[in-house]
Amino acid sequence: MKKLILSLVAILAISQSSFAQSQWNTSGNNIFNTNTGNVGIGLSSPLSKLQISTSALAGVTVTGNTSSFVGGDIGISRATSGVSIGTAPSLQFTDVATGFSSMIQSYQGQLQFFNNIGSGWGEFMRITGAGNVGILTTAPISTFQVGNGCRKSSLGSAGATDLNYGTSYMGFNAARNAGTWTVESDGLHNGGGVIYGDVLGDIYFVPIPTGYAGGAGAVTQTLTDLTVKSMISFSVAANGTVRAKQIVVQTTGWPDYVFKKGYLLKSLPDVKNYIDQNHHLPEMPSEQQIATDGLNLGEMDKLLTKKVEELTLYQIDSDKKLIQEQETNQKQQNLIDKQKEQLLMQQQQIDQLKQQMQLVLKKIQGS
């Protein structure tokens, strides 16, 4: 019985060995395995289709030719020499033809992206453990930040009661973190800008002038939410209301030509007839046009100015007629006054003649 059991064990061991060996096959220079389970190198219980023990091998590199790997190698290894982050798992891509390389590295819960195009390894993008994404900056403090010297763009949260219950923001050389805004500088310039919205759907525009805090040339500006709110210069409400401290509309064709010689001013009777037929001034848009197309501020200002200038010409023309009438009346009054003086002189002469005649008559009667 004992011999029988030993014989069965030996048969099973040989069978198992044959089964294991039967999974590996060769085809020319290729070796492949038909096993449908997981494969482990350096460990006996692989958890994935291919698992390599880090204690067994520092890494593995798969090298191909230009036709099968689009001109490059793929490497999975510890951090590449020349990258100062330290040893960390990385995935490296190398273009065999040019020697240029790119690498994705996992380090302390964050992903870092490097490239090496002949001037050494340099990091160009990072995703932090908090989920912030930075391009050309290694320490993004907002959800999305693009850095290039002092010129940066940021996207992030503007949630704060001090910002009218803000929601999100877009920063230009300005980024927000926990209620503090930072405007970076290259030592010469530190202006920036912010656009943010609130829970009502209103949008606010905040320009941050150069040297607002710390004077011109300050390395950074640090502003609070209240300071940013106080600097709002333009806003658009959800109902379409626009608020601004000043609006400058640049336009051409300003109607100063109305005052130039040769301008044909419509007669007032013609204007009256047009108003009676169309119920609005000539050239001015109708109520229906405004309701359909809206109001063009630049064009409307030009039309209003033109009408004011035409009205001034009408008033001057009216004043000319009034002045002429006044001059005519004055001439007539002067003539009347002169005639009165003449009549008065004549009356005085008549009175003198009467007196003389009375004297003459008295003398005649006395003689």
Side-chain angles (χ1 to χ4, degrees):
M1 184 66 180
K2 185 177 181 180
K3 291 182 178 181
L4 178 59
I5 292 174
L6 290 174
S7 299
L8 289 174
V9 171
I11 292 171
L12 288 174
I14 294 172
S15 176
Q16 182 67 25
S17 176
S18 300
F19 174 77
Q21 292 178 0
S22 66
Q23 305 306 306
W24 294 96
N25 299 276
T26 60
S27 176
N29 294 327
N30 298 325
I31 301 175
F32 62 93
N33 194 308
T34 59
N35 175 31
T36 59
N38 297 337
V39 176
I41 299 177
L43 70 169
S44 60
S45 300
L47 301 177
S48 58
K49 290 297 181 182
L50 175 61
Q51 184 173 352
I52 302 173
S53 171
T54 56
S55 62
L57 188 64
V60 61
T61 300
V62 183
T63 304
N65 54 38
T66 56
S67 62
S68 60
F69 281 90
V70 197
D73 302 338
I74 301 176
I76 305 174
S77 63
R78 292 290 186 176
T80 302
S81 175
V83 179
S84 60
I85 300 301
T87 58
S90 63
L91 175 61
Q92 180 177 332
F93 304 86
T94 303
D95 188 331
V96 180
T98 63
F100 296 158
S101 300
S102 299
M103 183 176 65
I104 304 174
Q105 179 174 275
S106 175
Y107 178 71
Q108 295 184 348
Q110 59 189 358
L111 286 179
Q112 300 162 280
F113 299 79
F114 300 84
N115 58 26
N116 183 353
I117 56 175
S119 58
W121 285 98
E123 183 177 357
F124 63 90
M125 178 176 174
R126 179 178 296 195
I127 303 176
T128 68
N132 293 345
V133 177
I135 298 178
L136 298 180
T137 178
T138 59
I141 63 175
S142 57
T143 304
F144 179 75
Q145 184 172 332
V146 178
N148 181 13
C150 69
R151 297 168 291 278
K152 293 186 176 180
S153 300
S154 299
L155 299 175
S157 171
T161 56
D162 290 342
L163 295 175
N164 302 326
Y165 295 94
T167 53
S168 57
Y169 78 89
M170 178 183 297
F172 304 92
N173 196 28
R176 179 179 182 271
N177 184 26
T180 299
W181 297 84
T182 301
V183 182
E184 298 188 18
S185 172
D186 60 357
L188 297 174
H189 316 90
N190 53 2
V194 174
I195 301 174
Y196 76 92
D198 63 17
V199 294
L200 298 178
D202 301 341
I203 300 176
Y204 304 91
F205 297 77
V206 185
I208 304 174
T210 300
Y212 179 79
V219 175
T220 60
Q221 297 182 72
T222 301
L223 311 176
T224 64
D225 285 341
L226 280 175
T227 301
V228 169
K229 180 183 177 181
S230 69
M231 297 170 67
I232 295 173
S233 64
F234 185 84
S235 65
V236 181
N239 62 5
T241 301
V242 176
R243 295 181 182 275
K245 295 181 179 179
Q246 185 177 2
I247 296 178
V248 177
V249 179
Q250 290 185 328
T251 185
T252 57
W254 198 250
D256 286 348
Y257 54 83
V258 170
F259 293 137
K260 293 182 179 180
K261 292 182 179 180
Y263 178 73
L264 297 177
L265 185 66
K266 290 182 179 292
S267 67
L268 285 176
D270 289 341
V271 174
K272 181 181 182 302
N273 290 335
Y274 185 92
I275 293 174
D276 291 340
Q277 295 177 9
N278 300 280
H279 308 292
H280 62 85
L281 286 172
E283 301 178 280
M284 296 293 285
S286 66
E287 179 183 2
Q288 183 178 2
Q289 286 177 297
I290 295 296
T292 302
D293 303 328
L295 180 67
N296 186 317
L297 291 178
E299 291 300 316
M300 181 55 66
D301 282 345
K302 288 198 299 185
L303 286 174
L304 289 174
T305 302
K306 181 178 181 180
K307 295 308 171 186
V308 169
E309 291 179 348
E310 290 180 339
L311 181 61
T312 302
L313 292 178
Y314 287 127
Q315 186 64 43
I316 292 173
D317 186 61
S318 176
D319 288 346
K320 283 182 179 180
K321 293 179 181 179
L322 179 60
I323 292 172
Q324 289 175 353
E325 291 177 358
Q326 290 177 344
E327 289 177 348
T328 301
N329 292 336
Q330 185 63 43
K331 289 180 180 179
Q332 291 176 349
Q333 184 64 41
N334 292 339
L335 181 60
I336 292 172
D337 292 342
K338 188 174 182 180
Q339 289 176 345
K340 284 183 178 181
E341 290 179 359
Q342 291 176 349
L343 289 174
L344 180 61
M345 291 176 63
Q346 290 176 354
Q347 184 64 43
Q348 290 175 349
Q349 291 175 353
I350 291 172
D351 292 340
Q352 290 177 356
L353 288 172
K354 284 182 178 181
Q355 291 176 0
Q356 291 176 359
M357 288 295 295
Q358 289 176 354
L359 291 173
V360 170
L361 290 173
K362 287 180 178 180
K363 288 180 179 183
I364 293 174
Q365 292 175 354
S367 61

